[in-house]
Structures are given as C-alpha cells and as structure tokens.
Amino acid sequence: MTALSRQTSGAAGGLIVRIESMLADLWPQYGLTIFTPRLELRLPREEELAELAHLAARGVHRPDERPFLTPWTDGSPEDRARFVLQEHWGKLGGWSVAAWRLGLGVFCHGDPLGVVTLRARDFPVVREVTTSAWLGIEHQGKGYGTEARVGLLTLAFDHLGARAALTEVFQDNHASQGVSRKLGYEYDGISVDARGDEAVVSDRLRLTRERWTQEKRPAVRVDGTEACRPLFGL
C-alpha cells in the first residue's frame, strides 16, 4: 500500500466514523450494541445489510421446512434478499413508542450470521416483548441462536425493565422449541394461524422476569442504552 493510499484510507475511515456518530446522534439505536462471549448484536450499516441480504439468499432453513408464518423464504434467492432489506428499512422507518421493532444484525468477528428482532406494543404500560430470529443455514447448530437470544433478553429485562418475553413456535419446530425451553420459557397456551390454505398450531411460550433472574447465563454487556430510552418510552 502506498503512502497516498494509506492517507486516503485513513481519511475515508475518519469520514465513516463521523457519519456513524451523526447517525447515532439523530437515531440513538445506531449506538446500541450488545456483546456476548462470541457475538456482537447491533444495527447493520448499509454494506453489512447487503451482506445479510445475500446470506438470507443462500438459505435459512432446509427445503422441507417452513419455520416462519410469513412465507418470506418461499421465493427466489433474490426475493429473500430483498425481503431482508425491506424488513430492515421498515423497522427503522416505522418506529414509534407505541409499536417498535428492533432488528439487530448478529456478527461474529465481523462476519454476519443473521438477524434477531425484539419488538413490543405499548411497552411503557405492558412491559412485554417478543423475540424472533433467523440465521444463515451454515451458521445453525453452533449455539449462536441461543447466545443471541440471551443478548436480546438481557437488553429487555436488565436494561429496559421488561416483565416478560414471549415467543410463538410451531409445534414441529423442535430446534426453536429447544432454545426457548433451555432459556426458561414456559408453556402459555396455543395459537392457530393460517399458513396458505393450512391451519398451523403454535405453542405460545413465556419467560417471566422472575424466571429470568433464576437462570444461569453467559456474561453480556450492553452499551448505548441510555440514549435510546426515550425511543422505548422510558
């Protein structure tokens, strides 16, 4: 690398840092980062969002599975990639205290693994959150999903004051059921939804704050929460 290219690279890096700082000033969620032993959860930047979209295009489950109520994985690889972009922009653009969705990229040593989402309605009053996630198929079965969920739940319970976390899982989705049960979620009834022309049954699972405090968990650090509190209605 020449001296000129090093100088250009340094200038470009400084510009990126300034832009990210400006974004975090205007939209504090950009300054929110969750660190688990192996992972970093945060809003992806544009180039990282493109990488996540291409990751989804390569597949997020086996062809014989249908783990999502919204059939966003049924189309072509390009359809899946565009859905990731639209979902990300929609979550940011549609944010309000009354109904928010925080979609964080999951990164390991800078490599994108998937997206985890924490969402709520009327959170200042109800104090309940719901989680959902997808990981690239090549990153599944390595404990990343469990670790990322612990990170989200740490934010919800320990920093936002949630009273309960909810999830709904198809009864035949054994992997997601296993993650939830391992984290202390308990059975809370069923829901029935239409998936195309098929009625599908999901287990509703609930993790209470009391149960959360009793479970052993890996250490998690959350940075940047204070600036975000007004956007969560706190």
Side-chain angles (χ1 to χ4, degrees), residues 174-228:
H174 303 298
S176 186
Q177 289 265 4
V179 169
S180 298
R181 306 285 186 182
K182 186 189 331 184
L183 293 176
Y185 284 77
E186 297 175 306
Y187 181 73
D188 193 41
I190 64 168
S191 61
V192 182
D193 298 282
R195 186 173 61 184
D197 58 359
E198 172 192 18
V200 292
V201 179
S202 298
D203 286 334
R204 290 202 312 263
L205 304 174
R206 174 184 294 267
L207 176 62
T208 64
R209 183 178 187 83
E210 291 72 22
R211 184 67 183 271
W212 167 256
T213 60
Q214 296 169 4
E215 298 292 320
K216 291 184 178 179
R217 304 178 303 276
V220 173
R221 188 179 97 231
V222 181
D223 292 348
T225 308
E226 195 60 34
C228 297

Side-chain angles (χ1 to χ4, degrees), residues 34-172:
I34 303 171
F35 300 94
T36 71
R38 295 183 295 174
L39 306 175
E40 186 177 327
L41 314 181
R42 54 177 171 76
L43 283 179
R45 281 34 178 184
E46 289 300 298
E47 67 277 7
E48 295 170 332
L49 179 60
E51 292 178 2
L52 286 164
H54 285 294
L55 179 66
R58 296 198 297 272
V60 299
H61 60 76
R62 297 195 307 266
D64 60 334
E65 295 177 327
R66 295 189 69 188
F68 306 112
L69 187 60
T70 301
W72 68 276
T73 60
D74 288 355
S76 67
E78 291 78 13
D79 291 333
R80 291 193 294 273
R82 292 189 184 107
F83 179 88
V84 171
L85 301 180
Q86 289 178 300
E87 272 287 287
H88 175 76
W89 293 327
K91 289 169 187 171
L92 291 181
W95 188 286
S96 73
V97 170
W100 49 261
R101 295 182 297 160
L102 180 66
L104 302 178
V106 180
F107 300 93
C108 182
H109 302 299
D111 295 326
L113 308 184
V115 172
V116 291
T117 299
L118 187 72
R119 65 183 188 273
R121 287 186 177 274
D122 301 315
F123 182 75
V125 177
V126 177
R127 296 290 177 138
E128 293 186 345
V129 297
T130 301
T131 63
S132 58
W134 65 263
L135 293 178
I137 195 166
E138 63 261 43
H139 303 301
Q140 296 173 16
K142 302 175 183 178
Y144 293 135
T146 302
E147 192 170 321
R149 180 102 67 97
V150 169
L152 274 187
L153 294 172
T154 299
L155 170 65
F157 284 117
D158 297 351
H159 295 265
L160 302 181
R163 296 193 188 103
L166 315 175
T167 190
E168 293 193 12
V169 187
F170 291 148
Q171 292 181 329
D172 61 356

